PDB file of all heavy atoms in Angstrom:
ATOM      1  N   TYR B  39      -6.765  17.494 -18.738  1.00  0.00           N
ATOM      2  CA  TYR B  39      -6.379  18.840 -18.330  1.00  0.00           C
ATOM      3  C   TYR B  39      -5.871  19.616 -19.556  1.00  0.00           C
ATOM      4  O   TYR B  39      -5.175  19.081 -20.415  1.00  0.00           O
ATOM      5  CB  TYR B  39      -5.236  18.795 -17.269  1.00  0.00           C
ATOM      6  CG  TYR B  39      -5.063  20.113 -16.575  1.00  0.00           C
ATOM      7  CD1 TYR B  39      -5.804  20.429 -15.472  1.00  0.00           C
ATOM      8  CD2 TYR B  39      -4.154  21.062 -17.087  1.00  0.00           C
ATOM      9  CE1 TYR B  39      -5.655  21.674 -14.844  1.00  0.00           C
ATOM     10  CE2 TYR B  39      -4.031  22.306 -16.476  1.00  0.00           C
ATOM     11  CZ  TYR B  39      -4.784  22.581 -15.356  1.00  0.00           C
ATOM     12  OH  TYR B  39      -4.657  23.829 -14.738  1.00  0.00           O
ATOM     13  N   ILE B  40      -6.245  20.893 -19.603  1.00  0.00           N
ATOM     14  CA  ILE B  40      -5.841  21.754 -20.733  1.00  0.00           C
ATOM     15  C   ILE B  40      -4.781  22.751 -20.227  1.00  0.00           C
ATOM     16  O   ILE B  40      -5.076  23.613 -19.437  1.00  0.00           O
ATOM     17  CB  ILE B  40      -7.061  22.471 -21.330  1.00  0.00           C
ATOM     18  CG1 ILE B  40      -8.116  21.453 -21.809  1.00  0.00           C
ATOM     19  CG2 ILE B  40      -6.639  23.413 -22.459  1.00  0.00           C
ATOM     20  CD1 ILE B  40      -7.652  20.506 -22.894  1.00  0.00           C
ATOM     21  N   ASP B  41      -3.547  22.589 -20.740  1.00  0.00           N
ATOM     22  CA  ASP B  41      -2.439  23.452 -20.275  1.00  0.00           C
ATOM     23  C   ASP B  41      -2.546  24.872 -20.819  1.00  0.00           C
ATOM     24  O   ASP B  41      -2.046  25.809 -20.195  1.00  0.00           O
ATOM     25  CB  ASP B  41      -1.097  22.871 -20.738  1.00  0.00           C
ATOM     26  CG  ASP B  41      -0.787  21.522 -20.167  1.00  0.00           C
ATOM     27  OD1 ASP B  41      -1.087  21.333 -18.971  1.00  0.00           O
ATOM     28  OD2 ASP B  41      -0.256  20.645 -20.910  1.00  0.00           O
ATOM     29  N   ARG B  42      -3.133  24.996 -22.008  1.00  0.00           N
ATOM     30  CA  ARG B  42      -3.208  26.324 -22.602  1.00  0.00           C
ATOM     31  C   ARG B  42      -4.535  26.542 -23.245  1.00  0.00           C
ATOM     32  O   ARG B  42      -5.040  25.658 -23.970  1.00  0.00           O
ATOM     33  CB  ARG B  42      -2.103  26.494 -23.657  1.00  0.00           C
ATOM     34  CG  ARG B  42      -1.995  27.846 -24.260  1.00  0.00           C
ATOM     35  CD  ARG B  42      -1.294  28.816 -23.258  1.00  0.00           C
ATOM     36  NE  ARG B  42       0.147  28.597 -23.228  1.00  0.00           N
ATOM     37  CZ  ARG B  42       0.805  28.149 -22.120  1.00  0.00           C
ATOM     38  NH1 ARG B  42       0.132  27.923 -20.976  1.00  0.00           N
ATOM     39  NH2 ARG B  42       2.094  27.973 -22.144  1.00  0.00           N
ATOM     40  N   HIS B  43      -5.177  27.678 -22.962  1.00  0.00           N
ATOM     41  CA  HIS B  43      -6.479  28.001 -23.564  1.00  0.00           C
ATOM     42  C   HIS B  43      -6.358  29.317 -24.284  1.00  0.00           C
ATOM     43  O   HIS B  43      -6.079  30.343 -23.698  1.00  0.00           O
ATOM     44  CB  HIS B  43      -7.533  28.061 -22.471  1.00  0.00           C
ATOM     45  CG  HIS B  43      -8.939  28.174 -23.013  1.00  0.00           C
ATOM     46  ND1 HIS B  43     -10.004  28.501 -22.247  1.00  0.00           N
ATOM     47  CD2 HIS B  43      -9.436  27.966 -24.245  1.00  0.00           C
ATOM     48  CE1 HIS B  43     -11.120  28.504 -23.002  1.00  0.00           C
ATOM     49  NE2 HIS B  43     -10.787  28.206 -24.211  1.00  0.00           N
ATOM     50  N   LEU B  44      -6.555  29.265 -25.586  1.00  0.00           N
ATOM     51  CA  LEU B  44      -6.548  30.483 -26.410  1.00  0.00           C
ATOM     52  C   LEU B  44      -8.007  30.850 -26.746  1.00  0.00           C
ATOM     53  O   LEU B  44      -8.774  29.929 -27.060  1.00  0.00           O
ATOM     54  CB  LEU B  44      -5.748  30.290 -27.694  1.00  0.00           C
ATOM     55  CG  LEU B  44      -4.325  29.783 -27.522  1.00  0.00           C
ATOM     56  CD1 LEU B  44      -3.653  29.591 -28.884  1.00  0.00           C
ATOM     57  CD2 LEU B  44      -3.495  30.703 -26.670  1.00  0.00           C
ATOM     58  N   THR B  45      -8.364  32.088 -26.652  1.00  0.00           N
ATOM     59  CA  THR B  45      -9.749  32.427 -26.886  1.00  0.00           C
ATOM     60  C   THR B  45      -9.836  33.763 -27.662  1.00  0.00           C
ATOM     61  O   THR B  45      -8.901  34.534 -27.677  1.00  0.00           O
ATOM     62  CB  THR B  45     -10.497  32.522 -25.523  1.00  0.00           C
ATOM     63  OG1 THR B  45     -11.909  32.579 -25.783  1.00  0.00           O
ATOM     64  CG2 THR B  45     -10.091  33.697 -24.685  1.00  0.00           C
ATOM     65  N   HIS B  46     -10.950  33.958 -28.345  1.00  0.00           N
ATOM     66  CA  HIS B  46     -11.074  35.190 -29.164  1.00  0.00           C
ATOM     67  C   HIS B  46     -12.446  35.830 -28.994  1.00  0.00           C
ATOM     68  O   HIS B  46     -13.315  35.293 -28.306  1.00  0.00           O
ATOM     69  CB  HIS B  46     -10.757  34.882 -30.633  1.00  0.00           C
ATOM     70  CG  HIS B  46     -11.702  33.940 -31.281  1.00  0.00           C
ATOM     71  ND1 HIS B  46     -12.911  34.297 -31.824  1.00  0.00           N
ATOM     72  CD2 HIS B  46     -11.602  32.562 -31.480  1.00  0.00           C
ATOM     73  CE1 HIS B  46     -13.486  33.256 -32.366  1.00  0.00           C
ATOM     74  NE2 HIS B  46     -12.749  32.179 -32.155  1.00  0.00           N
ATOM     75  N   GLU B  47     -12.620  36.975 -29.640  1.00  0.00           N
ATOM     76  CA  GLU B  47     -13.806  37.810 -29.367  1.00  0.00           C
ATOM     77  C   GLU B  47     -15.107  37.225 -29.856  1.00  0.00           C
ATOM     78  O   GLU B  47     -16.170  37.645 -29.351  1.00  0.00           O
ATOM     79  CB  GLU B  47     -13.577  39.219 -29.964  1.00  0.00           C
ATOM     80  CG  GLU B  47     -13.821  39.390 -31.485  1.00  0.00           C
ATOM     81  CD  GLU B  47     -12.725  38.837 -32.361  1.00  0.00           C
ATOM     82  OE1 GLU B  47     -11.815  38.100 -31.859  1.00  0.00           O
ATOM     83  OE2 GLU B  47     -12.731  39.092 -33.570  1.00  0.00           O
ATOM     84  N   VAL B  48     -15.076  36.306 -30.781  1.00  0.00           N
ATOM     85  CA  VAL B  48     -16.372  35.852 -31.379  1.00  0.00           C
ATOM     86  C   VAL B  48     -16.988  34.623 -30.693  1.00  0.00           C
ATOM     87  O   VAL B  48     -18.189  34.575 -30.473  1.00  0.00           O
ATOM     88  CB  VAL B  48     -16.208  35.596 -32.899  1.00  0.00           C
ATOM     89  CG1 VAL B  48     -17.463  34.953 -33.506  1.00  0.00           C
ATOM     90  CG2 VAL B  48     -15.921  36.906 -33.632  1.00  0.00           C
ATOM     91  N   THR B  49     -16.170  33.653 -30.300  1.00  0.00           N
ATOM     92  CA  THR B  49     -16.790  32.472 -29.671  1.00  0.00           C
ATOM     93  C   THR B  49     -16.702  32.524 -28.141  1.00  0.00           C
ATOM     94  O   THR B  49     -17.125  31.533 -27.495  1.00  0.00           O
ATOM     95  CB  THR B  49     -16.123  31.148 -30.164  1.00  0.00           C
ATOM     96  OG1 THR B  49     -14.734  31.152 -29.900  1.00  0.00           O
ATOM     97  CG2 THR B  49     -16.330  30.993 -31.649  1.00  0.00           C
ATOM     98  N   SER B  50     -16.219  33.608 -27.550  1.00  0.00           N
ATOM     99  CA  SER B  50     -16.136  33.649 -26.079  1.00  0.00           C
ATOM    100  C   SER B  50     -17.206  34.369 -25.327  1.00  0.00           C
ATOM    101  O   SER B  50     -17.442  34.070 -24.158  1.00  0.00           O
ATOM    102  CB  SER B  50     -14.742  34.202 -25.672  1.00  0.00           C
ATOM    103  OG  SER B  50     -14.673  35.577 -26.028  1.00  0.00           O
ATOM    104  N   PRO B  51     -17.866  35.395 -25.904  1.00  0.00           N
ATOM    105  CA  PRO B  51     -18.770  36.229 -25.046  1.00  0.00           C
ATOM    106  C   PRO B  51     -19.873  35.476 -24.327  1.00  0.00           C
ATOM    107  O   PRO B  51     -20.132  35.745 -23.131  1.00  0.00           O
ATOM    108  CB  PRO B  51     -19.366  37.256 -26.033  1.00  0.00           C
ATOM    109  CG  PRO B  51     -18.758  37.060 -27.367  1.00  0.00           C
ATOM    110  CD  PRO B  51     -17.832  35.918 -27.306  1.00  0.00           C
ATOM    111  N   VAL B  52     -20.463  34.488 -25.015  1.00  0.00           N
ATOM    112  CA  VAL B  52     -21.557  33.743 -24.376  1.00  0.00           C
ATOM    113  C   VAL B  52     -20.993  32.904 -23.214  1.00  0.00           C
ATOM    114  O   VAL B  52     -21.637  32.758 -22.160  1.00  0.00           O
ATOM    115  CB  VAL B  52     -22.280  32.846 -25.421  1.00  0.00           C
ATOM    116  CG1 VAL B  52     -23.249  31.872 -24.724  1.00  0.00           C
ATOM    117  CG2 VAL B  52     -23.009  33.696 -26.458  1.00  0.00           C
ATOM    118  N   ALA B  53     -19.774  32.392 -23.390  1.00  0.00           N
ATOM    119  CA  ALA B  53     -19.163  31.583 -22.322  1.00  0.00           C
ATOM    120  C   ALA B  53     -18.843  32.458 -21.098  1.00  0.00           C
ATOM    121  O   ALA B  53     -19.119  32.065 -19.960  1.00  0.00           O
ATOM    122  CB  ALA B  53     -17.896  30.926 -22.855  1.00  0.00           C
ATOM    123  N   PHE B  54     -18.276  33.604 -21.319  1.00  0.00           N
ATOM    124  CA  PHE B  54     -17.963  34.525 -20.216  1.00  0.00           C
ATOM    125  C   PHE B  54     -19.255  34.916 -19.515  1.00  0.00           C
ATOM    126  O   PHE B  54     -19.322  34.982 -18.275  1.00  0.00           O
ATOM    127  CB  PHE B  54     -17.279  35.791 -20.746  1.00  0.00           C
ATOM    128  CG  PHE B  54     -15.784  35.648 -20.944  1.00  0.00           C
ATOM    129  CD1 PHE B  54     -15.215  35.830 -22.181  1.00  0.00           C
ATOM    130  CD2 PHE B  54     -14.934  35.348 -19.905  1.00  0.00           C
ATOM    131  CE1 PHE B  54     -13.827  35.757 -22.397  1.00  0.00           C
ATOM    132  CE2 PHE B  54     -13.540  35.229 -20.070  1.00  0.00           C
ATOM    133  CZ  PHE B  54     -13.001  35.447 -21.341  1.00  0.00           C
ATOM    134  N   GLU B  55     -20.270  35.230 -20.318  1.00  0.00           N
ATOM    135  CA  GLU B  55     -21.529  35.689 -19.713  1.00  0.00           C
ATOM    136  C   GLU B  55     -22.161  34.615 -18.813  1.00  0.00           C
ATOM    137  O   GLU B  55     -22.711  34.872 -17.746  1.00  0.00           O
ATOM    138  CB  GLU B  55     -22.489  36.112 -20.838  1.00  0.00           C
ATOM    139  CG  GLU B  55     -23.693  36.947 -20.384  1.00  0.00           C
ATOM    140  CD  GLU B  55     -23.304  38.170 -19.530  1.00  0.00           C
ATOM    141  OE1 GLU B  55     -22.213  38.747 -19.765  1.00  0.00           O
ATOM    142  OE2 GLU B  55     -24.061  38.531 -18.633  1.00  0.00           O
ATOM    143  N   ASP B  56     -22.038  33.362 -19.297  1.00  0.00           N
ATOM    144  CA  ASP B  56     -22.598  32.237 -18.519  1.00  0.00           C
ATOM    145  C   ASP B  56     -21.857  32.079 -17.168  1.00  0.00           C
ATOM    146  O   ASP B  56     -22.455  31.743 -16.151  1.00  0.00           O
ATOM    147  CB  ASP B  56     -22.506  30.948 -19.341  1.00  0.00           C
ATOM    148  CG  ASP B  56     -23.888  30.348 -19.623  1.00  0.00           C
ATOM    149  OD1 ASP B  56     -24.793  31.167 -19.856  1.00  0.00           O
ATOM    150  OD2 ASP B  56     -23.997  29.134 -19.595  1.00  0.00           O
ATOM    151  N   LEU B  57     -20.513  32.267 -17.251  1.00  0.00           N
ATOM    152  CA  LEU B  57     -19.748  32.185 -15.998  1.00  0.00           C
ATOM    153  C   LEU B  57     -20.283  33.236 -15.020  1.00  0.00           C
ATOM    154  O   LEU B  57     -20.513  32.964 -13.841  1.00  0.00           O
ATOM    155  CB  LEU B  57     -18.276  32.522 -16.236  1.00  0.00           C
ATOM    156  CG  LEU B  57     -17.342  31.512 -16.919  1.00  0.00           C
ATOM    157  CD1 LEU B  57     -15.905  32.062 -16.901  1.00  0.00           C
ATOM    158  CD2 LEU B  57     -17.384  30.162 -16.231  1.00  0.00           C
ATOM    159  N   ARG B  58     -20.499  34.420 -15.555  1.00  0.00           N
ATOM    160  CA  ARG B  58     -20.943  35.548 -14.726  1.00  0.00           C
ATOM    161  C   ARG B  58     -22.338  35.223 -14.114  1.00  0.00           C
ATOM    162  O   ARG B  58     -22.538  35.384 -12.880  1.00  0.00           O
ATOM    163  CB  ARG B  58     -21.077  36.770 -15.629  1.00  0.00           C
ATOM    164  CG  ARG B  58     -20.822  38.041 -14.902  1.00  0.00           C
ATOM    165  CD  ARG B  58     -20.758  39.212 -15.919  1.00  0.00           C
ATOM    166  NE  ARG B  58     -19.419  39.637 -16.270  1.00  0.00           N
ATOM    167  CZ  ARG B  58     -18.939  39.691 -17.510  1.00  0.00           C
ATOM    168  NH1 ARG B  58     -19.663  39.328 -18.549  1.00  0.00           N
ATOM    169  NH2 ARG B  58     -17.696  40.096 -17.709  1.00  0.00           N
ATOM    170  N   ILE B  59     -23.256  34.733 -14.953  1.00  0.00           N
ATOM    171  CA  ILE B  59     -24.585  34.415 -14.475  1.00  0.00           C
ATOM    172  C   ILE B  59     -24.553  33.368 -13.360  1.00  0.00           C
ATOM    173  O   ILE B  59     -25.291  33.471 -12.373  1.00  0.00           O
ATOM    174  CB  ILE B  59     -25.472  33.899 -15.648  1.00  0.00           C
ATOM    175  CG1 ILE B  59     -25.786  35.078 -16.625  1.00  0.00           C
ATOM    176  CG2 ILE B  59     -26.787  33.267 -15.165  1.00  0.00           C
ATOM    177  CD1 ILE B  59     -26.328  34.616 -17.946  1.00  0.00           C
ATOM    178  N   ARG B  60     -23.667  32.405 -13.499  1.00  0.00           N
ATOM    179  CA  ARG B  60     -23.623  31.316 -12.521  1.00  0.00           C
ATOM    180  C   ARG B  60     -22.640  31.598 -11.359  1.00  0.00           C
ATOM    181  O   ARG B  60     -22.407  30.720 -10.535  1.00  0.00           O
ATOM    182  CB  ARG B  60     -23.266  29.998 -13.207  1.00  0.00           C
ATOM    183  CG  ARG B  60     -24.360  29.504 -14.098  1.00  0.00           C
ATOM    184  CD  ARG B  60     -23.877  28.429 -15.059  1.00  0.00           C
ATOM    185  NE  ARG B  60     -24.754  28.330 -16.196  1.00  0.00           N
ATOM    186  CZ  ARG B  60     -25.795  27.514 -16.295  1.00  0.00           C
ATOM    187  NH1 ARG B  60     -26.093  26.700 -15.293  1.00  0.00           N
ATOM    188  NH2 ARG B  60     -26.538  27.488 -17.392  1.00  0.00           N
ATOM    189  N   GLY B  61     -22.067  32.799 -11.428  1.00  0.00           N
ATOM    190  CA  GLY B  61     -21.167  33.156 -10.327  1.00  0.00           C
ATOM    191  C   GLY B  61     -19.894  32.324 -10.295  1.00  0.00           C
ATOM    192  O   GLY B  61     -19.327  32.084  -9.214  1.00  0.00           O
ATOM    193  N   ARG B  62     -19.440  31.886 -11.451  1.00  0.00           N
ATOM    194  CA  ARG B  62     -18.217  31.073 -11.505  1.00  0.00           C
ATOM    195  C   ARG B  62     -17.018  31.928 -11.889  1.00  0.00           C
ATOM    196  O   ARG B  62     -17.166  32.918 -12.580  1.00  0.00           O
ATOM    197  CB  ARG B  62     -18.388  29.915 -12.512  1.00  0.00           C
ATOM    198  CG  ARG B  62     -19.303  28.842 -12.019  1.00  0.00           C
ATOM    199  CD  ARG B  62     -19.577  27.793 -13.099  1.00  0.00           C
ATOM    200  NE  ARG B  62     -20.423  26.756 -12.565  1.00  0.00           N
ATOM    201  CZ  ARG B  62     -21.315  26.077 -13.288  1.00  0.00           C
ATOM    202  NH1 ARG B  62     -21.463  26.363 -14.580  1.00  0.00           N
ATOM    203  NH2 ARG B  62     -22.056  25.122 -12.737  1.00  0.00           N
ATOM    204  N   LYS B  63     -15.842  31.437 -11.442  1.00  0.00           N
ATOM    205  CA  LYS B  63     -14.622  32.137 -11.811  1.00  0.00           C
ATOM    206  C   LYS B  63     -13.941  31.438 -12.972  1.00  0.00           C
ATOM    207  O   LYS B  63     -14.240  30.274 -13.276  1.00  0.00           O
ATOM    208  CB  LYS B  63     -13.662  32.078 -10.597  1.00  0.00           C
ATOM    209  CG  LYS B  63     -14.003  33.023  -9.517  1.00  0.00           C
ATOM    210  CD  LYS B  63     -12.891  33.002  -8.497  1.00  0.00           C
ATOM    211  CE  LYS B  63     -13.245  33.837  -7.290  1.00  0.00           C
ATOM    212  NZ  LYS B  63     -12.494  33.424  -6.109  1.00  0.00           N
ATOM    213  N   LEU B  64     -12.996  32.116 -13.545  1.00  0.00           N
ATOM    214  CA  LEU B  64     -12.156  31.482 -14.536  1.00  0.00           C
ATOM    215  C   LEU B  64     -11.018  30.800 -13.748  1.00  0.00           C
ATOM    216  O   LEU B  64     -10.286  31.496 -13.023  1.00  0.00           O
ATOM    217  CB  LEU B  64     -11.602  32.554 -15.479  1.00  0.00           C
ATOM    218  CG  LEU B  64     -11.249  32.109 -16.889  1.00  0.00           C
ATOM    219  CD1 LEU B  64     -11.163  33.298 -17.806  1.00  0.00           C
ATOM    220  CD2 LEU B  64      -9.954  31.345 -16.921  1.00  0.00           C
ATOM    221  N   ARG B  65     -10.942  29.484 -13.847  1.00  0.00           N
ATOM    222  CA  ARG B  65     -10.029  28.774 -12.944  1.00  0.00           C
ATOM    223  C   ARG B  65      -8.570  29.195 -13.103  1.00  0.00           C
ATOM    224  O   ARG B  65      -7.865  29.438 -12.146  1.00  0.00           O
ATOM    225  CB  ARG B  65     -10.133  27.282 -13.189  1.00  0.00           C
ATOM    226  CG  ARG B  65      -9.277  26.445 -12.225  1.00  0.00           C
ATOM    227  CD  ARG B  65      -9.344  24.970 -12.486  1.00  0.00           C
ATOM    228  NE  ARG B  65      -8.459  24.292 -11.569  1.00  0.00           N
ATOM    229  CZ  ARG B  65      -8.840  23.868 -10.381  1.00  0.00           C
ATOM    230  NH1 ARG B  65     -10.070  24.039  -9.984  1.00  0.00           N
ATOM    231  NH2 ARG B  65      -7.953  23.305  -9.588  1.00  0.00           N
ATOM    232  N   ARG B  66      -8.127  29.274 -14.371  1.00  0.00           N
ATOM    233  CA  ARG B  66      -6.702  29.607 -14.581  1.00  0.00           C
ATOM    234  C   ARG B  66      -6.553  30.713 -15.616  1.00  0.00           C
ATOM    235  O   ARG B  66      -6.123  30.464 -16.750  1.00  0.00           O
ATOM    236  CB  ARG B  66      -5.917  28.348 -15.040  1.00  0.00           C
ATOM    237  CG  ARG B  66      -5.848  27.231 -13.992  1.00  0.00           C
ATOM    238  CD  ARG B  66      -5.082  27.659 -12.756  1.00  0.00           C
ATOM    239  NE  ARG B  66      -3.717  28.067 -13.000  1.00  0.00           N
ATOM    240  CZ  ARG B  66      -2.661  27.228 -12.921  1.00  0.00           C
ATOM    241  NH1 ARG B  66      -2.808  25.987 -12.559  1.00  0.00           N
ATOM    242  NH2 ARG B  66      -1.436  27.682 -13.163  1.00  0.00           N
ATOM    243  N   PRO B  67      -6.887  31.942 -15.200  1.00  0.00           N
ATOM    244  CA  PRO B  67      -6.681  33.073 -16.137  1.00  0.00           C
ATOM    245  C   PRO B  67      -5.252  33.200 -16.588  1.00  0.00           C
ATOM    246  O   PRO B  67      -4.964  33.715 -17.668  1.00  0.00           O
ATOM    247  CB  PRO B  67      -7.118  34.289 -15.315  1.00  0.00           C
ATOM    248  CG  PRO B  67      -7.123  33.852 -13.896  1.00  0.00           C
ATOM    249  CD  PRO B  67      -7.421  32.384 -13.883  1.00  0.00           C
ATOM    250  N   ASP B  68      -4.355  32.677 -15.746  1.00  0.00           N
ATOM    251  CA  ASP B  68      -2.910  32.774 -16.099  1.00  0.00           C
ATOM    252  C   ASP B  68      -2.493  31.810 -17.209  1.00  0.00           C
ATOM    253  O   ASP B  68      -1.367  31.896 -17.733  1.00  0.00           O
ATOM    254  CB  ASP B  68      -2.069  32.524 -14.826  1.00  0.00           C
ATOM    255  CG  ASP B  68      -2.369  31.167 -14.205  1.00  0.00           C
ATOM    256  OD1 ASP B  68      -3.561  30.753 -14.192  1.00  0.00           O
ATOM    257  OD2 ASP B  68      -1.441  30.510 -13.737  1.00  0.00           O
ATOM    258  N   LEU B  69      -3.362  30.867 -17.552  1.00  0.00           N
ATOM    259  CA  LEU B  69      -3.087  29.954 -18.671  1.00  0.00           C
ATOM    260  C   LEU B  69      -3.965  30.269 -19.882  1.00  0.00           C
ATOM    261  O   LEU B  69      -3.992  29.532 -20.829  1.00  0.00           O
ATOM    262  CB  LEU B  69      -3.309  28.499 -18.237  1.00  0.00           C
ATOM    263  CG  LEU B  69      -2.500  27.984 -17.050  1.00  0.00           C
ATOM    264  CD1 LEU B  69      -2.886  26.535 -16.736  1.00  0.00           C
ATOM    265  CD2 LEU B  69      -0.989  28.090 -17.308  1.00  0.00           C
TER     266      LEU B  69
END
Side-chain angles (χ1 to χ4, degrees):
Chain B
Y39 195 87
I40 301 300
D41 296 320
R42 186 75 76 245
H43 189 193
L44 307 179
T45 192
H46 63 84
E47 80 283 11
V48 172
T49 60
S50 68
V52 170
F54 277 120
E55 195 52 31
D56 243 37
L57 286 186
R58 211 173 260 125
I59 290 166
R60 291 165 202 268
R62 287 174 178 147
K63 283 187 186 157
L64 207 161
R65 183 182 179 89
R66 295 297 301 265
D68 57 322
L69 301 178

